[in-house]
Amino acid sequence: MIELLNRAVSFAERTALVSNGKRYTYQNLLDASQNVAGNLLNGATDLNEARITFLVPPSFEYTAVQWGIWAAGGIAVPLCVLHPLPSIQYVVEDTRTNVVVAHTDFIDFLKPLEKETGIAIIPLSELLKKNTASLPDISLERRAMILYTSGTTSKPKGVVTTHANIEAQIVTLVSAWEWRKEDAILNILPLHHVHGIINVMSCALWSGASCEFLPKFDAKQVWDAIASGRLTLFMAVPTIYYKLISFWESASREARERLSKTSSELRLMVSGSAALPVPVLEKWRSITGLTLLERYGMTEIGMGLSNAYSGERRPGHVGLPLPGVKMRLVNSDNKTVKEGEPGEFQIQGPSVFQEYWKKPEATKKAFTDDGWFITGDIGMYHNGMYKILGRDSVDIIKSGGYKISALEIEDVLRKYEGIADCAVVGLPDEEWGEIIGACVVSNTKTIDAEAVKHWLKERLPGYKIPRKFVQRPSLPRNVLGKVTKNELKKNWPNDN
Ligand code: MLC
Ligand code: AMP
């Protein structure tokens, strides 16, 4: 039996999840995932790594489907509830799945996909019907999950992790941050990325703790949950802390005092997925009395570096390798750099993913000949701690904690009538980390930014839509004809 599920047996009567105002025990979760597994198997003995995509909002049912897929021997592929149909279709086709498990709210939305691709939509309710079929034994080396992440190619790549990888990603955090069964956490993050899936939900369930879902981030509801005193932990991206600070600042004096007092009682608050600006850390400390623990991670590796749970949390730094993680910083000749010199992070360890789905060339390129994963992140080791300095590619944007490929947006924008050429960049922004800017060139007309945004909404998820537009007669290029994006960023008009 998969260890996460095996451990759940010993927590049977404890609360595992709080979802849509209802409490569910570990036994409820085990029972529901047994039903999902049995119904997915539908008479077969093992799904044998069939990819099962599922479009289910963060909820008890989401977790039951994920566990059910695992228990039946399938690969879980969570789809994003915020994605428009073309983004869903891309994942469905790339994984070569023939089923999508859909929550009732999404069945009509998916109908055109069923028509076009012949894929079967399985209503969630069908999978939850009682089924006591016996389930296969799943070895740790088998593939368990595919998460889609953007990179330096236009289209997102499927990051494949095995059960062993997932277990390692969980265990290292449970140990470093001292998760315990008395813990209670609120999940406000999307469940198609590691931050929500592993750091929040799976660590809680591994530990016998409880995880409460808020289907979508809402500053007031998060503060209410914190003020209720029922949480011990909270984890989020820097943009969320920024938004929580804005909410606190706009509250009355009495409300501010109450929120500050109750938040100081949490045992740990963590920030990650993007650089935590030092002013945000400091403001949060002044509001709550807590120093945010900043850590560094990536879809391909789970978490790699972390500030200390007990010990120093240095602002602007990401700490040291987590248990089981080997990290090095190298120069362009792949030689380890000295303390104080910038280098690229490379990582080894049991949490590192197995492969990019059906992309052997990309997988090969992602590792050095001696087996280190090349992260693309630049950092430095100084005075006993690591610091992130940036990325090696200007084409990767981090906005609101989401990783976004500039090339993917450019490819879509070029299909807009009247746009002859374009360049997409990440512009520094206090709230979002980076905000997406698009520079467009048209030989025929003035491009209406609002009309472009509206058109993009049907083709890209909201967080990939540029917020700033400029139109130029041509794009700045170097002698080799490559667009000089750093120059474009530097010269971006201040009033835009
Ligand atoms: C939304 N808006 C943006 C935006 N996203 N504006 C600029 N840039 C963006 N990226 C705008 C919308 O258009 C809208 O404006 C308003 O903000 C509210 O939109 P929303 O969709 O309701 O946003 P909100 O729910 O507030 O989303 C913010 C967020 C979300 C921070 C909660 O972005 C989020 O969940 N981020 C987390 C992503 C994540 O989990 N990353 C982890 C990846 S794993 P208007 O004008 O239309 O109202 C990873 C590894 C690791 O990175 O280390 O963890
Ligand atoms: P993703 O591909 O969505 O998993 O995003 C991973 C990327 O997020 C990493 O490669 C980093 O660039 C970035 N990231 C994660 N945590 C941090 C952090 N604490 N500081 C700076 N960047 C981070």
Side-chain angles (χ1 to χ4, degrees), residues 124-413:
L124 176 61
S125 51
E126 289 297 312
L127 287 188
L128 294 171
K129 287 185 180 155
K130 181 112 190 114
N131 191 309
T132 54
S134 60
L135 304 177
D137 269 340
I138 310 296
S139 72
L140 274 173
E141 286 63 43
R142 280 175 57 165
R143 296 176 180 89
M145 187 155 70
I146 304 181
L147 298 179
Y148 277 77
T149 184
S150 296
T152 44
T153 48
S154 162
K155 291 287 190 188
K157 297 193 283 278
V159 173
V160 180
T161 42
T162 62
H163 288 284
N165 296 146
I166 291 174
E167 212 174 292
Q169 292 179 2
I170 298 171
V171 167
T172 191
L173 295 184
V174 167
S175 137
W177 299 342
E178 300 186 14
W179 273 91
R180 51 198 81 152
K181 64 178 186 307
E182 293 75 21
D183 276 324
I185 194 164
L186 180 72
N187 180 67
I188 32 100
L189 294 167
L191 287 184
H192 65 296
H193 281 308
V194 285
H195 198 161
I197 298 174
I198 301 291
N199 300 24
V200 180
M201 185 178 83
S202 304
C203 283
L205 297 176
W206 180 275
S207 309
S210 75
C211 175
E212 177 178 338
F213 292 115
L214 199 63
K216 194 183 174 321
F217 171 72
D218 176 86
K220 180 177 184 314
Q221 289 189 54
V222 172
W223 270 120
D224 284 348
I226 293 173
S228 72
R230 61 180 188 267
L231 306 179
T232 62
L233 292 162
F234 185 73
M235 297 180 194
V237 301
T239 303
I240 288 181
Y241 287 106
Y242 183 97
K243 287 173 179 285
L244 291 175
I245 291 171
S246 302
F247 182 91
W248 183 91
E249 283 174 334
S250 64
S252 67
R253 219 184 90 197
E254 300 80 68
R256 287 207 300 263
E257 279 171 9
R258 185 175 53 88
L259 296 178
S260 291
K261 186 176 173 309
T262 43
S263 52
S264 69
E265 284 156 18
L266 269 74
R267 77 168 179 88
L268 177 65
M269 288 186 152
V270 179
S271 172
S273 301
L276 174 65
V278 174
V280 174
L281 176 141
E282 281 167 353
K283 183 74 199 175
W284 193 255
R285 185 155 53 194
S286 77
I287 292 176
T288 65
L290 299 175
T291 303
L292 288 171
L293 181 155
E294 185 173 7
R295 55 54 179 186
Y296 159 84
M298 198 173 180
T299 307
E300 287 88 336
I301 66 167
M303 297 303 111
L305 300 164
S306 172
N307 272 283
Y309 175 63
S310 312
E312 189 190 1
R313 294 184 196 163
R314 198 183 296 169
H317 290 69
V318 284
L320 291 168
L322 282 156
V325 171
K326 280 205 286 178
M327 195 64 94
R328 70 182 189 188
L329 280 173
V330 300
N331 61 19
S332 50
D333 297 326
N334 217 34
K335 297 268 174 346
T336 309
V337 298
K338 292 202 197 83
E339 176 162 357
E341 283 178 11
E344 183 175 20
F345 283 108
Q346 295 186 347
I347 172 172
Q348 266 188 346
S351 65
V352 177
F353 77 125
Q354 187 179 72
E355 61 188 337
Y356 291 115
W357 177 249
K358 298 281 181 212
K359 291 193 169 41
E361 278 308 308
T363 307
K364 192 162 178 285
K365 257 179 75 183
F367 288 88
T368 63
D369 292 340
D370 53 346
W372 291 77
F373 171 66
I374 305 164
T375 63
D377 288 308
I378 310 297
M380 192 170 82
Y381 181 80
H382 184 57
N383 274 347
M385 244 188 220
Y386 287 99
K387 184 180 173 65
I388 310 280
L389 299 172
R391 286 198 62 88
D392 69 349
S393 167
V394 72
D395 288 322
I396 291 180
I397 300 168
K398 263 270 162 173
S399 187
Y402 283 110
K403 187 155 120 186
I404 296 156
S405 160
L407 306 181
E408 181 184 2
I409 302 168
E410 289 165 8
D411 277 356
V412 180
L413 267 178

Side-chain angles (χ1 to χ4, degrees), residues 451-491:
V452 178
K453 279 193 213 169
H454 185 75
W455 180 85
L456 281 174
K457 267 191 191 149
E458 282 168 21
R459 290 157 177 87
L460 288 172
Y463 56 84
K464 292 186 182 173
I465 294 176
R467 310 286 149 171
K468 298 190 176 192
F469 281 83
V470 287
Q471 186 167 352
R472 296 272 163 80
S474 63
L475 299 175
R477 292 183 188 275
N478 64 17
V479 284
L480 300 171
K482 199 169 155 32
V483 177
T484 47
K485 289 198 173 178
N486 284 327
E487 190 188 327
L488 192 60
K489 284 168 77 159
K490 214 169 68 202
N491 297 328

